[in-house]
């Protein structure tokens, strides 16, 4: 598996992100969906990577710089065909290394409170993320949970 910087032009990446947004809107009320579309992911404060295996897009993740010491995980997704194969773990470890390389002291995320998001929450907890209150521009929302990890 290769994890590569991506410019959001690859058809496989676009398809994966469309599936991600469809799941978010199918699972959460519209006002509680914080997933970003391709235009929003193209913002200069965001860096996007895709995971490929033999040329096929099997996952993606982005990091949004909140400030020079704090980043936010965005658009973490594994394709259905690649689930339970370590793709999400590899992407998360890649992001943790990148956060450390950038000198971030903290990496945070917002995820859903519904059962659909339980596997993601377990992944983050296994890698040292703990629940916290809203950060950045987020507001308390019964459909959202917030997690953070300090970078060592």
């Amino acid at each position: 598996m290769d994890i590569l910087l991506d410019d959001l032009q690859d058809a496989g990446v676009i398809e994966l992100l469309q599936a991600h947004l469809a799941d978010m809107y199918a699972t959460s009320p519209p006002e509680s969906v914080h997933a970003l579309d391709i235009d929003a992911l193209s913002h200069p404060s965001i860096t996007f990577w895709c995971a490929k295996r033999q040329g096929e897009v099997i996952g993606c993740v982005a990091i949004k710089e909140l400030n020079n010491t704090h980043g936010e995980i965005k658009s973490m997704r594994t394709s259905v065909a690649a689930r339970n194969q370590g793709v999400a773990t590899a992407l998360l470890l890649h992001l943790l290394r990148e956060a450390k390389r950038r000198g971030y002291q903290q990496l945070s995320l917002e995820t859903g409170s519904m059962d659909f998001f339980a596997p993601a929450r377990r992944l983050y907890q296994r890698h040292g993320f703990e629940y916290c209150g809203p950060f950045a521009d987020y507001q308390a929302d019964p459909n959202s949970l917030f997690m953070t990890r300090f970078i060592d």
Side-chain angles (χ1 to χ4, degrees), residues 53-90:
R53 184 181 300 137
Q54 299 175 338
E56 179 185 349
V57 176
I58 58 172
C60 64
V61 69
I63 191 168
K64 178 179 181 179
E65 184 166 291
L66 299 175
N67 60 50
N68 62 355
T69 63
H70 193 183
E72 178 184 3
I73 298 173
K74 299 298 292 181
S75 299
M76 178 80 133
R77 178 75 176 198
T78 301
S79 69
V80 173
R83 293 208 176 131
N84 300 311
Q85 297 175 25
V87 175
T89 296

Side-chain angles (χ1 to χ4, degrees), residues 36-66:
L36 302 177
D37 63 18
I38 291 171
D39 288 340
L41 285 168
S42 299
H43 191 273
S45 66
I46 297 175
T47 307
F48 184 88
W49 293 268
C50 72
K52 289 187 175 184
R53 184 181 300 137
Q54 299 175 338
E56 179 185 349
V57 176
I58 58 172
C60 64
V61 69
I63 191 168
K64 178 179 181 179
E65 184 166 291
L66 299 175

Side-chain angles (χ1 to χ4, degrees), residues 26-143:
T27 308
S28 302
E31 66 276 9
S32 297
V33 174
H34 301 286
L36 302 177
D37 63 18
I38 291 171
D39 288 340
L41 285 168
S42 299
H43 191 273
S45 66
I46 297 175
T47 307
F48 184 88
W49 293 268
C50 72
K52 289 187 175 184
R53 184 181 300 137
Q54 299 175 338
E56 179 185 349
V57 176
I58 58 172
C60 64
V61 69
I63 191 168
K64 178 179 181 179
E65 184 166 291
L66 299 175
N67 60 50
N68 62 355
T69 63
H70 193 183
E72 178 184 3
I73 298 173
K74 299 298 292 181
S75 299
M76 178 80 133
R77 178 75 176 198
T78 301
S79 69
V80 173
R83 293 208 176 131
N84 300 311
Q85 297 175 25
V87 175
T89 296
L91 287 166
L92 184 56
L93 291 174
H94 175 82
L95 218 55
L96 287 167
R97 286 189 299 273
E98 177 66 14
K100 186 172 186 169
R101 186 192 71 73
R102 291 181 179 197
Y104 291 170
Q105 297 172 6
Q106 188 174 3
L107 195 57
S108 302
L109 63 100
E110 179 276 337
T111 190
S113 61
M114 300 73 141
D115 289 344
F116 177 85
F117 299 97
R121 294 192 304 265
R122 286 192 298 271
L123 171 73
Y124 296 127
Q125 285 180 297
R126 279 195 307 272
H127 292 278
F129 286 80
E130 297 178 354
Y131 290 100
C132 64
F135 61 93
D137 295 330
Y138 290 105
Q139 301 297 315
D141 178 345
N143 298 298

Side-chain angles (χ1 to χ4, degrees), residues 14-28 33 35-36 77 116:
I14 293 167
E15 183 179 320
L16 189 63
L17 288 171
Q18 287 172 337
H20 180 62
L21 285 170
D23 276 350
M24 298 307 98
Y25 281 99
T27 308
S28 302
V33 174
L36 302 177
R77 178 75 176 198
F116 177 85

